[in-house]
Amino acid sequence: MKITNVLGLSFLFFAFIGTSFPEAVHAKDAAAVLDVFGHEVQAGARYLIVAPSTDNTTTLAVTINGQVLCNSDVILSTLNESLPITFSPVIQSTDSVIREGTHLNVNFAGPSAMCLMGGVTPMWKIGFSTTLKGYIVTTGGVDRLNRFKITKYEGDNSFYQLSFCPMSEPFCECSCVPVGVNGDKNLVPGAGPLLVMFEPDE
């Protein structure tokens, strides 16, 4: 009886790993995310997330709405106001390449001593805005619990799109939702996907 129980628990454990963390199984098979120069995007390297404007005359980029990196909403603004970000896979891989469809932590890169002192991170998360009365992308996320992913944009293969992948404990693998932009330039989940590219921050 004890052996049967152990085998049953082992099966459930591995089934949980396979369904809840599919990127751990298939990450090596996924295509690498490429930057604007066609180079593989690397974990921990600094990039600017850039997007075309609606009239294609300017380049927009992700930055923050506020002065403090770790307590600010994530917005789209002009390129000269952009802030670099880094990606890190939720499940560590054998190489440092960021791949399409894998779950990622997204962090603003930069001085974070003030954030750490306050127990807050410059990591992206989804939070509720009482001002906008809706969910937005903001900072203060927790490692492994605030997951995003990058996939090719189906309408134009030269661009990517970001999605937020909510997780509900303990066994739910919930659907990912595209990240777009609202009328106030806030990044928000569930909107039409924002077309983006990744430019190395030199």
Side-chain angles (χ1 to χ4, degrees):
M1 178 66 75
K2 289 183 178 179
I3 294 176
T4 303
N5 289 340
V6 170
L7 290 175
L9 289 172
S10 298
F11 174 78
L12 289 174
F13 175 73
F14 286 110
F16 167 64
I17 291 176
T19 56
S20 294
F21 303 104
E23 68 274 21
V25 178
H26 303 294
K28 291 183 180 178
D29 300 328
V33 176
L34 303 179
D35 66 20
V36 294
F37 302 111
H39 302 142
E40 295 177 340
V41 171
Q42 302 291 314
R46 294 160 59 106
Y47 295 91
L48 301 177
I49 298 179
V50 296
S53 65
T54 53
D55 58 8
N56 293 318
T57 59
T58 59
T59 300
L60 303 175
V62 169
T63 184
I64 56 171
N65 182 20
Q67 300 297 318
V68 182
L69 190 63
C70 46
N71 282 298
S72 293
D73 303 334
V74 182
I75 63 171
L76 201 63
S77 186
T78 56
L79 185 60
N80 62 345
E81 297 176 328
S82 62
L83 289 173
I85 55 90
T86 62
F87 300 110
S88 59
V90 171
I91 302 297
Q92 295 300 318
S93 60
T94 55
D95 59 22
S96 60
V97 176
I98 297 299
R99 300 187 182 278
E100 293 181 32
T102 57
H103 290 156
L104 306 168
N105 295 318
V106 183
N107 281 276
F108 279 116
S112 58
M114 185 180 298
C115 302
L116 295 176
M117 288 176 60
V120 184
T121 71
M123 182 181 294
W124 288 19
K125 71 172 185 178
I126 300 298
F128 186 80
S129 170
T130 54
T131 303
L132 300 174
K133 296 180 172 57
Y135 288 96
I136 60 173
V137 181
T138 185
T139 53
V142 178
D143 185 25
R144 300 174 65 90
L145 297 182
N146 297 275
R147 308 174 308 171
F148 292 81
K149 73 175 182 179
I150 300 168
T151 53
K152 277 287 189 181
Y153 178 66
E154 293 182 0
D156 187 337
N157 277 335
S158 59
F159 290 97
Y160 291 93
Q161 69 179 51
L162 294 167
S163 296
F164 172 67
C165 301
M167 183 167 63
S168 178
E169 297 292 348
F171 299 114
C172 171
E173 182 68 19
C174 304
S175 299
C176 300
V177 294
V179 170
V181 178
N182 65 12
D184 295 310
K185 299 298 183 182
N186 290 85
L187 267 63
V188 295
L194 172 68
L195 280 63
V196 297
M197 302 179 77
F198 307 103
E199 181 179 318
D201 180 46
E202 299 177 352

